Amino acid sequence: MSNKKKFKIEYEVKSSPRILYSFISEPNGLAQWFADDVTIKDQVYTFSWDGEQQDAKLLSVKENKFVRFRWTDDDPQSYFEMEIIQDELTNDVALGITDFATEDNINEKTLIWDNQIAYLISVLGA
């Protein structure tokens, strides 16, 4: 059993769900903000940063709603999910992140997500 804890964060994103979905689910979209390069083969995404690679299996997906991945070298109970949340009344769009980290790494991992999502928002021009 892992000692990692699930945590969730939410970011307001001024984008349509359809456009945002392409940035969280497609290799070209992910390569614009999440990693330097992204390839996919047999539901396994290979993310590259500064010459280092890490593989993540696509666990679940719902078009224009969410994607869920698990790093192939991580605990089987751990995953990271990017969910598009749209308010029914205002149509405001948010990106919800669910991830896992040890208690002493949650703040660090949150900061990493903060930086990545800020970069995503700048790429979107939102």
Side-chain angles (χ1 to χ4, degrees), residues 11 33 109-121:
Y11 303 91
W33 69 278
K109 231 168 175 186
T110 300
L111 282 174
I112 291 169
W113 278 112
D114 289 349
N115 289 331
Q116 292 301 115
I117 301 303
Y119 189 50
L120 169 63
I121 289 168

Side-chain angles (χ1 to χ4, degrees), residues 66-79:
F66 75 90
V67 291
R68 180 181 291 180
F69 296 97
R70 181 176 43 77
W71 297 114
T72 55
D73 60 356
D74 202 358
D75 185 307
Q77 279 77 42
S78 296
Y79 61 87

Side-chain angles (χ1 to χ4, degrees), residues 36-56:
D36 297 336
D37 188 44
V38 182
T39 57
I40 180 174
K41 183 178 182 189
D42 299 328
Q43 303 294 315
V44 175
Y45 285 62
T46 300
F47 297 93
S48 301
W49 297 271
D50 298 324
E52 300 286 320
Q53 291 188 334
Q54 193 168 6
D55 292 335

